[in-house]
Amino acid sequence: MRGPGQADCAVAIGRPLGEVVTLRVLESSLNCSAGDMLLLWGRLTWRKMCRKLLDMTFSSKTNTLVVRQRCGRPGGGVLLRYGSQLAPETFYRECDMQLFGPWGEIVSPSLSPATSNAGGCRLFINVAPHARIAIHALATNMGAGTEGANASYILIRDTHSLRTTAFHGQQVLYWESESSQAEMEFSEGFLKAQASLRGQYWTLQSWVPEMQDPQSWKGKEGT
């Protein structure tokens, strides 16, 4: 993350569910006193750092990680090596799915031995760091259950802001994220009702930088 155009940049790293992302800092010329810093952000992770970066290693909590750098000096920055390894503990269900890329098709999971007792299934969508996500889909055969264990619904959540929208009943739905990561949850009642959702997602231009101005990172050290 050095050279022309790399002073304030971000990169997204994604791996299959069940893995975590690993990082090692090979070189760093960040000037901490000038406000330079490195931010690591993902599900269950928010870490800001600058000092003593050389040879530092880091493992994400989940299968995705966004790395953002702020460097005021042209030609400065960090050199990172990334990899992946099996997650020491899992945050996922067997029926969960992951989608990457600027667009794609969305198909809800169907009832199977893997989903019958999963308590619902989730679909994670990740796009480029400074993009947003639009989802357009048709939900059918949703059933009548609205409460309790048999409630049939779809939740769509913005992973960054945690803004969540619930959808009940047969409908054509449209939703936009505020950030580059979204999560769809299909309830156990949705699966048992043999409901279905088919649609697409695509990227939109971001109206606000996903991780805000670096000055607002102050006071957010840690994970």
Side-chain angles (χ1 to χ4, degrees), residues 172-213:
V172 176
L173 62 90
Y174 180 79
W175 182 89
E176 293 183 2
S177 72
E178 300 173 21
S179 70
S180 63
Q181 298 188 17
E183 174 185 333
M184 301 184 70
E185 181 174 343
F186 304 93
S187 71
E188 185 173 355
F190 176 97
L191 301 174
K192 289 182 177 179
Q194 297 186 358
S196 173
L197 178 140
R198 297 186 68 92
Q200 296 179 324
Y201 79 90
W202 62 90
T203 54
L204 301 171
Q205 183 177 358
S206 178
W207 59 63
V208 177
E210 177 172 285
M211 288 164 284
Q212 305 178 359
D213 185 274

Side-chain angles (χ1 to χ4, degrees), residues 44-199:
L44 310 177
T45 298
W46 181 282
R47 184 170 180 180
K48 172 177 67 73
M49 62 189 76
C50 179
R51 303 184 188 281
K52 299 180 180 180
L53 288 182
L54 187 62
D55 287 330
M56 186 212 73
T57 59
F58 176 83
S59 294
S60 65
K61 301 287 189 181
T62 63
N63 66 310
T64 61
L65 187 68
V66 175
V67 182
R68 184 179 179 187
Q69 170 185 273
R70 181 185 187 275
C71 180
R73 182 170 58 87
V78 297
L79 176 64
L80 307 173
R81 174 182 290 144
Y82 75 90
S84 66
Q85 61 188 30
L86 292 177
E89 55 182 323
T90 180
F91 295 95
Y92 302 107
R93 305 159 190 165
E94 187 175 348
C95 58
D96 289 349
M97 298 176 288
Q98 173 75 62
L99 297 176
F100 293 114
W103 63 81
E105 293 190 2
I106 298 173
V107 180
S108 61
S110 56
L111 191 65
S112 69
T115 62
S116 58
N117 296 310
C121 300
R122 296 169 297 177
L123 185 150
F124 303 96
I125 302 174
N126 292 67
V127 299
H130 295 299
R132 297 185 297 120
I133 301 168
I135 296 174
H136 187 225
L138 172 63
T140 58
N141 302 321
M142 289 278 285
T146 59
E147 297 182 359
N150 293 321
S152 178
Y153 58 84
I154 301 165
L155 297 180
I156 307 181
R157 179 179 299 109
D158 184 290
T159 307
H160 182 60
S161 69
L162 300 182
R163 177 178 60 88
T164 303
T165 305
F167 297 91
H168 299 269
Q170 179 168 307
Q171 61 180 292
V172 176
L173 62 90
Y174 180 79
W175 182 89
E176 293 183 2
S177 72
E178 300 173 21
S179 70
S180 63
Q181 298 188 17
E183 174 185 333
M184 301 184 70
E185 181 174 343
F186 304 93
S187 71
E188 185 173 355
F190 176 97
L191 301 174
K192 289 182 177 179
Q194 297 186 358
S196 173
L197 178 140
R198 297 186 68 92

